[in-house]
Amino acid sequence: MTKYFADISSFQRDDLAFFQGLVNAGVQSVLIKTTQGSPDGDNYINPKSVTQVRNALAASMSVGFYHYFKASSIADSINEAKFFEQSVVNLGFGKDTPLCVDVEDPSLNTLLVADYVDTFINYLTEQGYTNVFQYSMASWFNQGILNANVHRTWVANYGVNACGVSGNVIAWQYTSSWGGGSQDMSYDWGIFDKQPAKTEATTQPTVEPEKPKVENTIKLTEKTHPVDRLGIERPETYEAGSTWKSSDIVMINDEPHYQIATDIFVPISKTTFKDFIIVKYTDGSLAPVFDSKGNRVQNASVSTGKSFKTDGIRIINGIPMAKIATDQFIPFEYTSGSKFE
């Protein structure tokens, strides 16, 4: 069975219910950000890390840590590695703890950053840590900024069918919107279970991952005036970041809207679902996929909980559908926020 893990920082919650919710959805492991930069630089320690660790362990999760990399020299790389190591020691974790260097900051020198990462990882390895790896977006590996063959590698690449990187790949962060929110989620091929590393030829999962809990909770991304069923703007205003329960998806003025009350609707384009969907279909059954002519696409059905980056809306045979691939569409009726059961 494919395993997967969440990664979190101070932006996520630290209460026990948050971690128990992950476990209930089948997520058994978590990487927690502890530090950023060095004592001479950002000098950042995640203020929630102690509580996040405590409650993750209370929920029986496996725990690892990551450091956000800002180094501008070899000496700085060592200082950052020491800063990160001390945070792990302070939290009471040992040498076999999963430890990651998060390499993505736009201020990094892309001509020299690979050397700095080598220094950071080599320092931790020399201290006896046995589960150290690097993280970045697929483009940095494919452009040669970082080398996925030199170190164990966790790749970020969204909206694709495979991680897109060859080498010593041990994990793939395949979404930043798992469960309908802003939660990252990754496939684990060798971090918490320490299995042999995968290559690109075998990176695509052979089975569906555990499904996130599909809920009809939507979140606004900007200040919004709702409308009624006729598209007439209502006087009240809802703030960005506010969340609502949707009971249906309705077309108003040629745009799909979530129904959040008897005659109150907000457009999908002003929610976190504006460019992705989560499939919501009958448990145990696969949701059908259609082409632009309304014909069902063979061998393209998808299961509940699977998420897709969408590329526009199409009305096909009078039914609003989200485009999920070239000439492949899924009805909004079969996505989070609808009344379909």
Side-chain angles (χ1 to χ4, degrees):
M1 179 177 67
T2 301
K3 296 182 178 181
Y4 64 124
F5 64 92
D7 59 275
I8 65 172
S9 66
S10 61
F11 291 107
Q12 276 76 34
R13 290 159 46 190
D14 59 357
D15 56 288
L16 179 59
F18 170 74
F19 294 98
Q20 193 59 60
L22 290 173
V23 171
N24 292 343
V27 183
Q28 297 296 326
S29 306
V30 63
L31 281 179
I32 299 173
K33 178 179 179 178
T34 61
T35 48
Q36 176 174 312
S38 68
D40 297 329
D42 288 1
N43 193 27
Y44 174 84
I45 298 176
N46 174 7
K48 293 183 179 179
S49 58
V50 172
T51 308
Q52 286 174 332
V53 167
R54 181 189 305 124
N55 285 323
L57 293 174
S60 299
M61 300 188 80
S62 298
V63 175
F65 303 104
Y66 73 93
H67 168 84
Y68 191 84
F69 197 58
K70 298 288 291 291
S72 57
S73 67
I74 293 297
D76 203 18
S77 302
I78 296 174
N79 287 337
E80 291 202 13
K82 291 180 177 179
F83 186 42
F84 181 39
E85 180 190 18
Q86 190 60 55
S87 73
V88 174
V89 172
N90 290 346
L91 289 167
F93 283 73
K95 302 289 188 179
D96 59 347
T97 304
L99 301 181
C100 178
V101 54
D102 178 352
V103 189
E104 59 178 298
D105 193 86
S107 70
L108 292 169
N109 185 330
T110 55
L111 296 178
L112 298 174
V113 68
D115 291 336
Y116 300 160
V117 170
D118 288 347
T119 300
F120 183 100
I121 291 178
N122 290 341
Y123 174 85
L124 291 175
T125 301
E126 289 166 2
Q127 307 313 305
Y129 290 92
T130 60
N131 196 352
V132 186
F133 51 100
Q134 62 183 344
Y135 163 93
S136 192
M137 61 284 279
S139 60
W140 277 33
F141 296 106
N142 292 330
Q143 293 170 18
I145 297 172
L146 296 173
N147 192 330
N149 292 299
V150 173
H151 301 294
R152 299 163 71 240
T153 297
W154 172 26
V155 176
N157 202 3
Y158 309 149
V160 292
N161 294 323
C163 78
V165 173
S166 298
N168 194 358
V169 178
I170 57 170
W172 170 25
Q173 187 184 79
Y174 65 93
T175 183
S176 61
S177 51
W178 180 87
S182 56
Q183 176 61 58
D184 297 339
M185 195 60 64
S186 299
Y187 295 109
D188 181 6
W189 301 315
I191 293 178
F192 290 97
D193 55 5
K194 290 283 286 182
Q195 297 299 315
K198 304 288 183 177
T199 64
E200 175 62 12
T202 58
T203 53
Q204 197 164 351
T206 57
V207 298
E208 287 290 319
E210 299 285 347
K211 304 300 186 298
K213 184 179 180 181
V214 178
E215 297 179 343
N216 282 357
T217 301
I218 59 116
K219 183 177 182 179
L220 294 177
T221 56
E222 58 185 273
K223 185 177 291 187
T224 302
H225 280 288
V227 298
D228 63 19
R229 191 175 295 273
L230 297 179
I232 299 173
E233 191 173 274
R234 297 175 60 91
E236 64 265 32
T237 300
Y238 299 145
E239 295 298 321
S242 60
T243 58
W244 305 85
K245 284 285 188 179
S246 171
S247 59
D248 200 3
I249 299 176
V250 177
M251 290 296 292
I252 300 175
N253 295 333
D254 298 321
E255 182 180 2
H257 285 62
Y258 289 116
Q259 182 175 4
I260 60 174
T262 301
D263 195 28
I264 302 178
F265 303 82
V266 294
I268 285 180
S269 62
K270 294 186 178 181
T271 73
T272 53
F273 286 109
K274 63 183 178 181
D275 56 8
F276 86 101
I277 60 169
I278 299 177
V279 177
K280 175 188 176 185
Y281 201 65
T282 306
D283 287 344
S285 300
L286 298 176
V289 176
F290 300 88
D291 62 22
S292 58
K293 296 181 179 179
N295 300 313
R296 183 164 180 174
V297 179
Q298 298 299 316
N299 302 317
S301 300
V302 292
S303 58
T304 291
K306 191 170 183 62
S307 62
F308 293 93
K309 184 176 177 62
T310 59
D311 184 22
I313 298 168
R314 181 79 65 87
I315 306 299
I316 301 174
N317 295 337
I319 301 172
M321 299 193 186
K323 184 176 181 181
I324 60 173
T326 302
D327 202 31
Q328 291 190 11
F329 303 81
I330 187 166
F332 275 105
E333 180 183 6
Y334 302 149
T335 68
S336 283
S338 76
K339 65 180 179 181
F340 182 85
E341 295 182 356

